[in-house]
Amino acid sequence: MGVEVRDPRWLGAVPGAELVVALDEVGGHAADGHRVTVLIDLVPGNVAMLRGLAAEAVGEGARKVRVRPHGVGRVDLVHAAVELGRVAEDDAVEVQFDVTSAALLRADPTAFVRVDPFVVQADGTVVPICAGLEDYALGALGSSFDALVAAWDPEPVRDLCRVALGRALADTGPLVSWYEHLTRTAAELRSSC
């Protein structure tokens, strides 16, 4: 079970968690001795700058580059995947691109009906899978992360994944932005209530 935290003060509460921060926060956290993952939101306006953004993050001390697309077209997703492959090779850094192949999604759809990783937001709120699913939050991190997880009912998140999966399977591109399908589906379900 993976856990990522958005503020280093929660690292002690969740041993083994990954510190994930924005580009402008990398240098300070790396200087403090943390292993830092930078989260870059890929939007139509910054696709051409992706390589430079990733190089800047590595220069600031990021040990991992994670890219999360929002509203990016199919061609730009493929372009970004190629650029991130170059970043991994040229900068010798771990890269995570928050997309999946449509072929994998179709071959093993049940692998996408899951409730982790967990995200501990800056205020201590724990949400499943990714930011944008606050309506499915486990609660605020208190004395025990494990107790919070044990007391939580994951079925609504699995139901959300099943609905999003049906929509994602209809996506005809070679790469599918799974997290984007999840957050969009969650927003649509919330607005239809």
Side-chain angles (χ1 to χ4, degrees):
M1 161 179 56
V3 180
E4 58 188 57
V5 298
R6 304 292 192 211
D7 187 307
R9 67 185 160 153
W10 303 115
L11 288 170
V14 190
E18 177 180 13
L19 178 60
V20 180
V21 299
L23 180 58
D24 62 344
E25 300 173 1
V26 170
H29 292 303
D32 289 341
H34 298 293
R35 184 185 189 287
V36 179
T37 296
V38 64
L39 178 61
I40 299 171
D41 287 322
L42 183 68
V43 295
N46 70 359
V47 172
M49 299 181 292
L50 179 58
R51 186 158 173 65
L53 294 172
E56 179 183 344
V58 171
E60 289 287 322
R63 299 285 225 35
K64 180 177 176 182
V65 174
R66 179 174 171 196
V67 176
R68 178 178 55 190
H70 296 283
V72 177
R74 291 179 176 98
V75 172
D76 284 338
L77 285 178
V78 173
H79 173 77
V82 170
E83 285 300 306
L84 289 172
R86 290 180 180 145
V87 166
E89 186 175 309
D90 294 348
D91 296 330
V93 67
E94 183 180 351
V95 172
Q96 177 182 333
F97 190 27
D98 286 347
V99 298
T100 188
S101 75
L104 180 61
L105 191 67
R106 287 178 179 84
D108 190 10
T110 59
F112 296 88
V113 180
R114 53 187 299 158
V115 298
D116 66 321
F118 294 103
V119 179
V120 181
Q121 297 179 327
D123 68 357
T125 302
V126 180
V127 298
I129 306 173
C130 61
L133 300 183
E134 286 75 15
D135 287 347
Y136 299 87
L138 286 71
L141 189 59
S143 58
S144 168
F145 175 78
D146 292 335
L148 189 63
V149 172
W152 175 65
D153 177 13
E155 277 313 302
V157 174
R158 289 189 182 109
D159 291 341
L160 169 67
C161 288
R162 288 180 191 100
V163 173
L165 182 61
R167 295 174 181 189
L169 287 170
D171 196 326
T172 59
L175 297 175
V176 176
S177 179
W178 174 240
Y179 293 146
E180 190 172 7
H181 275 285
L182 276 174
T183 57
R184 190 179 318 124
T185 301
E188 289 170 7
L189 292 175
R190 181 175 49 247
S191 67
S192 67
C193 292

